[in-house]
Amino acid sequence: MSEKNVAQEPKGQFETNVLDEEQARDDKTLPNDDLSTTPTAVDILSLEHTDPVLDAKMRLVNNAIDEIGFTGYQWKMFMLNGFGYAVDSLILLIQSIISGQAALEFHPSYPSAMTVAAYCGMLVGAMGWGFSADIIGRRFAFNCSLFVCSIFAIIAGSAPNWPVLGLFIALSSFGGGGNLVLDTAVFLEYLPSKQQWMLTIMAAWWGIGQLIAGLFAWAFLPNFSCADPALEPGAPPCTRGNNMGWRYVWFASGALVFVMSVLRVTVINLHETPKYLIGKGQDAQVVETLQMIAKKYNRPCSLTLASLEACGKTDPIHSAKRFSFAEVWEHIKGLCATRRMALSTGLIWLSWTLIGLAYPLYNVFLPTYLKSRGAQFGETSQYIQWRNYAIINMCGIFGPIPAGFLCATRIGRRGTMVVGALTTMVFFFAYTQVRNEDQNLGFNCAVNFCLNIYYGTLYAYTPEVLPSAHRGTGNGIAISGNRIMGILSAVIATVADTSTPVPIYICAGLYIVMAIVAACFPFEPYGRRSS
């Protein structure tokens, strides 16, 4: 594609920033125009690839996906992939919701152990499922991860003691923790470029998972929980018989996740994503998959095996031994193939690390803070506490919706993240001045809404700017950094007082840094297609 051709790209939503393209060129040779049809939009990494053949084939695949357009297949994926979002937040919040009541029954020496267990499981899950997505493909993890999560979530409700509860929470989190790596990647790799903004809106499912956690807590904990001797000195000892509420929460959550796992396998017969297959050199399967979707939904698809084979043979992206450190290293190197890709990958990982500390400091320990603030305002009812918790989490559902529409404007993904981070920071600082119960509830709702504007956009932005062949690895490492900071937050909570506004101030400061980092991202996906 010549410089002249780039300048003549269509305007409007797919307007090309020529200066960015020239800066990204780095003296690389683009594939000849006869290797691919003229794209309707510039691919984000088209001038960053070190393999011009892969770039040409990727443009052909993107052209075919755009030609087919948005179908019922993508709608099914929006729902079923959204289950993974919901499960991740559900499992993460359930452990924080039930830990207080379980601790009354088991009298642990380390009360924050459940948070550590959950984040350790999610850390291993993000790394394991993430690497597997690039090594053996997306399909296996997509079909299995929720099933693993559901089984151990149900078993967690039967835990006889604190260590066993921590073990099964970790195992359940292992299954759930890989979903955020896979769900965005799989959905994105079937998504037409004009609908890429829907990847941000899909984060609304995260809020739905939070809401479900709050509703389960509201339904079971006030009615089936023992009293806290610290609040009621004459309360009877807390035993399994009078403290089944937290177990019911786990049983209900596990059963729901199991239903979701069954639906993922039965409602949609997921085929391996075309962009993963292109990286492996399986051109025939790419054509077969896209032609199958086009035929099922009566859409045109002009992609042929001959057109892909005419581009040539792609460079190998795997090491000699598929399951080895060398294989992982190949994918890590692929994320830093050029200077701008290395900068982009580093800033993404930094963003995930920062929000990995800010999010749990606020949200995972929100029940403790709500309880302490309620006590300050004279409100000690468990019913009111968990009702407010459900309302606050419901507000988180709607944050990704305006974020998705902002992403589809010239504000773009970077601008949306800056807006989300700064508005969250403002409400965090304002929240420390709360003086009554109504303000407590209102400002928490505002914080959760604005927080998910940033978080939902970051979830979508990350896979959009990562190369397809290494997307699982890059996503997995990003989310792993997030989980490591979640473990650190549990340690902080052990030695600090989470009932004070100090964590709120820390979170506010972190969001200022996140806004600055978002403004420095080198790639803007608005008007461009994911590679």
Side-chain angles (χ1 to χ4, degrees), residues 43 183 340 432:
D43 294 359
D183 294 326
R340 288 217 304 173
T432 60

Side-chain angles (χ1 to χ4, degrees), residues 361-362 369 427-429 431-432 500-509:
L361 274 179
Y362 169 71
Y369 195 71
F427 280 111
F428 266 131
F429 280 126
Y431 182 55
T432 60
T500 72
V502 174
I504 305 297
Y505 285 118
I506 295 174
C507 289

Side-chain angles (χ1 to χ4, degrees), residues 220-393:
F220 295 117
L221 293 183
N223 301 314
F224 303 99
S225 298
C226 61
D228 186 348
L231 299 177
E232 299 181 25
C238 193
T239 64
R240 177 170 182 149
N242 65 3
N243 194 38
M244 287 294 293
W246 69 267
R247 298 179 186 274
Y248 293 153
V249 170
W250 273 118
F251 293 149
S253 300
L256 177 62
V257 177
F258 180 77
V259 172
M260 289 179 175
S261 69
V262 172
L263 291 175
R264 292 241 283 206
V265 178
T266 56
V267 172
I268 188 170
N269 180 21
L270 180 72
H271 295 262
E272 193 55 78
T273 67
K275 293 184 179 181
Y276 172 78
L277 295 172
I278 279 291
K280 288 187 66 180
Q282 297 179 350
D283 296 350
Q285 284 186 254
V286 172
V287 175
E288 180 183 349
T289 298
L290 291 176
Q291 290 287 359
M292 179 272 298
I293 296 174
K295 182 178 180 181
K296 181 175 181 179
Y297 294 97
N298 196 26
R299 301 293 179 88
C301 180
S302 56
L303 181 69
T304 64
L305 180 59
S307 63
L308 287 175
E309 291 179 340
C311 296
K313 191 173 182 180
T314 59
D315 294 335
I317 61 171
H318 297 288
S319 67
K321 294 183 178 180
R322 184 65 63 89
F323 298 96
S324 64
F325 179 77
E327 171 72 9
V328 174
W329 181 243
E330 285 295 321
H331 291 293
I332 294 175
K333 287 195 300 182
L335 295 166
C336 306
T338 68
R339 289 193 300 272
R340 288 217 304 173
M341 289 175 67
L343 175 62
S344 176
T345 300
L347 291 179
I348 288 172
W349 290 348
L350 175 60
S351 297
W352 277 98
T353 301
L354 290 171
I355 199 163
L357 181 59
Y359 180 83
L361 274 179
Y362 169 71
N363 232 344
V364 174
F365 300 111
L366 181 60
T368 303
Y369 195 71
L370 278 176
K371 188 175 181 180
S372 66
R373 297 292 274 188
Q376 291 176 27
F377 304 136
E379 180 56 72
T380 58
S381 166
Q382 273 205 23
Y383 178 88
I384 298 298
Q385 176 193 348
W386 295 115
R387 183 207 66 183
N388 290 352
Y389 188 74
I391 293 172
I392 291 165
N393 285 324

Side-chain angles (χ1 to χ4, degrees), residues 9 33 35 81 134 141 154 220 226 292 304 336 379 435 527:
E9 287 284 323
D33 282 340
L35 292 182
N81 290 39
D134 287 338
I154 294 172
F220 295 117
C226 61
M292 179 272 298
T304 64
C336 306
E379 180 56 72
R435 293 294 179 266

Side-chain angles (χ1 to χ4, degrees), residues 355 358-359 362 417-418 420-422 424-425 428 450-452 454-455 506-516:
I355 199 163
Y359 180 83
Y362 169 71
M417 281 187 276
V418 171
L422 292 181
T424 303
M425 176 270 296
F428 266 131
C450 295
L451 183 154
N452 280 354
Y454 174 86
Y455 218 163
I506 295 174
C507 289
L510 289 171
Y511 275 96
I512 296 174
V513 178
M514 283 184 264
I516 295 172

